[in-house]
Amino acid sequence: MRMLVLGGTWFLGREVVAGALARGWEVTTFNRGRSGPDLPGVQTVRGDRTDTADLARLAEAGPWDAVVDTSSSELPPRDVRLAASALADQVGRWVHISTVSVYAGWPHHPLTDTSPLLDCPADADDTFGYTGEDGSPTKYGFQKAGGERAVAEALSERAVFLRPGVILGPGEYVGRLPWWLTRAARGGPILAPAPAGQRIQPVDVRDVAAFALDQAAAEDAGGAFNVAHHEGLTFAEFVAACLDVTCGAGHPVWASPGYLTANGVKQWTEMPLWRTHAGVWAVDSTRAVAAGLRCRPLVDTIADTWAWLQADGRPVAHPRWAEHGIAPEKEAKILASLPGATV
């Protein structure tokens, strides 16, 4: 099996490469060499995927049985189309890492992989789309939907779209789980979003990578898959697991969504993984499970991420890291003001 990975040096891309090498596949990576070193054993082609000359040089290194595109998250549709068109004749199957944000109903409504998508043309530039007043839909979602359309137009039935929600695990660069872990390790009363029984369904980066590789090697037609944890865990279980693995001497203090909002706590960022919309954790992954998606227990993801951090794990620097987590002084003020709270 000959595989091309667009990206391949950090988080999901790195796990895809590691998994492919473990399967004995011949792997080529294409990246600029700025986000981290390539894993030993790969054939590396340096270049910029928005440069037609670099893409033409890359195509000369083909053909490949499949490509997994892990590097298009910040690109407008027209740049996604550039790479897809340049490589279409050199690849048998294109596995495109997308997002649940492409759905018109996310995060308000439960989703299946046939739910309507946001409308964005395949040749759109980075100005297309908008973000709604309540944070949905997002400009990012429009852009990613246009990226899917660009790949579909170039690859037709050979295109596979994986739509994860939240990806966690060792190497995470966004900072959601690392924030909860470091907060748990600090101990004391921990502001947490009620209801404690809210089930969440983030997925481990290694499980996304394994499913991407399975789809790269599949012989059936392409299509779209929601990639979300098929069991998940409750927020109470999540916080308890963070306290357990860090040996944190703390305890959660649950505050209602209304109270958190009234005190200016920003959903999704200041309180990572918390969002009040009904569909945010109602993503149906039935089709992916039927196609072989297997998700490890999230308590293992939490433990392995803490082990990575303790071993001086250093994610690729990314501006989104600084967005996540509530400031200690703001948290303390809210905790002190909670009616009847014992902190």
Side-chain angles (χ1 to χ4, degrees), residues 62-76:
W64 297 275
D65 298 299
V67 57
V68 178
D69 184 359
T70 67
S71 68
S72 67
S73 64
E74 306 298 330
L75 293 177

Side-chain angles (χ1 to χ4, degrees), residues 181-201:
L181 285 165
T182 54
R183 178 62 190 89
R186 195 168 78 238
I190 301 170
L191 185 64
Q198 169 66 57
R199 188 160 291 273
I200 61 177
Q201 52 181 163

Side-chain angles (χ1 to χ4, degrees), residues 99-117 163-165 201 226-228 278-287:
T99 170
V100 293
S101 295
V102 299
Y103 290 112
W106 193 85
H108 297 280
H109 307 293
L111 299 172
T112 71
D113 41 50
T114 61
S115 296
L117 305 184
R163 297 169 181 159
Q201 52 181 163
N226 290 336
V227 185
V280 67
W281 298 119
V283 179
D284 183 2
S285 60
T286 300
R287 184 168 187 260

Side-chain angles (χ1 to χ4, degrees), residues 155-171:
L155 279 298
S156 189
E157 72 280 354
R158 293 181 290 142
V160 181
F161 303 103
L162 305 191
R163 297 169 181 159
V166 173
I167 304 177
L168 304 178

